[in-house]
Amino acid sequence: MVLSQAVEDYIKTIYTLETEQEDGGVSTTKIAEILGVSSASVTNMIKRLAKMGLVEYESYYGTTLTDAGEKIALEIIRHHRLLELYLKEVMGYSWDEVHDEAENLEHHISEQFEERIAEILDHPTHDPHGDPIPSKDGVLPEMARHPLSESEEGEKWIIGRVTDQDPELLRYLEEIGLIPGAKIEILETAPFNGPITIDVAGNKQTVGHEMAQKIFLLEPKTSEDK
């Protein structure tokens, strides 16, 4: 099935929004907000995707991908995240530059090109921002799901992923050492959604609640886990 770039963008957006919420379908309003289009445009596209067998839609419930839609979404996401890592590791892009470049390229690479990238990168499991790269058969590796905003004093974590793609924010996080793989300890959490003070590589850093909601953590592996 040959799909337009617009269709692929919708499918990827629906998948991403589905994974970010606990249950229920994705709202038309949320899709419109992410893609920067009108709610009427979203409604028309959802009807089109439903006829193609890629989504299911119910009033007051929202939109969900069918198995066929999810398979396509995972393939697009695989393209995007492999491209991000290739741009960073091979072409020397910084992690705040790769998202927009990958957005432009993800619709235009062949399956053969995708596989060559995967081979060059030794079949990686995560992109530069810590997001999992689906395998060729659609299996997702471990994904960090515990937000820094819900951490407690004294806890020790490893930064797993950062969900915000704002280049300025990513540059700032890199400057203070808050990148995937960094080990941190929670020193203090202020009440009423106040800032969180953490130790990262021996340096004390303070992170606001809004930013902390975009940083997700993994538990440190013990010797028994290895």
Side-chain angles (χ1 to χ4, degrees):
M1 181 187 301
V2 178
L3 304 176
S4 68
Q5 181 171 328
V7 166
E8 290 186 348
D9 284 340
Y10 269 86
I11 292 172
K12 185 176 73 169
T13 298
I14 294 167
Y15 177 86
T16 301
L17 291 172
E18 275 192 282
T19 59
E20 290 176 353
Q21 58 190 39
E22 294 183 1
D23 52 34
V26 176
S27 72
T28 298
T29 302
K30 193 64 177 178
I31 298 171
E33 178 184 329
I34 297 297
L35 292 176
V37 297
S38 68
S39 294
S41 295
V42 174
T43 300
N44 290 335
M45 178 60 83
I46 294 303
K47 291 178 180 178
R48 178 181 170 191
L49 295 177
K51 289 181 180 180
M52 297 168 70
L54 301 178
V55 304
E56 294 179 350
Y57 174 77
E58 296 181 29
S59 298
Y60 307 106
Y61 181 80
T63 302
T64 57
L65 292 175
T66 62
D67 289 344
E70 182 174 322
K71 182 178 180 181
I72 292 170
L74 287 169
E75 182 61 31
I76 300 166
I77 290 168
R78 175 173 166 80
H79 283 185
H80 181 95
R81 294 177 181 171
L82 280 173
L83 283 164
E84 284 196 341
L85 194 60
Y86 182 82
L87 288 166
K88 182 176 183 296
E89 298 298 324
V90 178
M91 300 192 68
Y93 281 67
S94 60
W95 79 323
D96 57 277
E97 297 175 316
V98 297
H99 178 73
D100 289 344
E101 289 284 10
E103 281 284 306
N104 293 328
L105 295 169
E106 66 186 33
H107 305 284
H108 307 294
I109 67 172
S110 66
E111 300 308 302
Q112 181 181 6
F113 189 80
E114 169 212 293
E115 190 57 28
R116 288 296 299 275
I117 291 177
E119 290 174 1
I120 290 171
L121 298 173
D122 195 23
H123 301 283
T125 58
H126 294 78
D127 73 9
H129 308 104
D131 288 313
I133 300 173
S135 67
K136 196 164 183 61
D137 54 0
V139 176
L140 273 176
E142 178 185 25
M143 181 170 71
R145 295 183 179 276
H146 185 87
L148 176 58
S149 57
E150 295 180 12
S151 58
E152 297 182 3
E153 293 177 12
E155 293 179 341
K156 294 182 179 180
W157 297 91
I158 295 175
I159 294 178
R161 65 187 177 108
V162 177
T163 58
D164 199 299
Q165 297 295 340
D166 178 68
E168 188 174 349
L169 172 62
L170 293 176
R171 286 192 292 271
Y172 173 72
L173 291 176
E174 186 169 29
E175 286 176 7
I176 64 175
L178 294 183
I179 59 176
K183 297 179 180 180
I184 66 171
E185 179 178 356
I186 311 303
L187 300 178
E188 183 180 357
T189 58
F192 306 109
N193 293 337
I196 299 171
T197 304
I198 62 177
D199 177 278
V200 52
N203 297 312
K204 186 183 292 187
Q205 303 291 349
T206 301
V207 178
H209 183 78
E210 183 178 353
M211 185 185 299
Q213 291 179 307
K214 301 172 182 178
I215 299 173
F216 291 81
L217 309 173
L218 295 168
E219 293 185 5
K221 292 186 181 296
T222 64
S223 57
E224 289 80 9
D225 297 325
K226 297 178 181 178

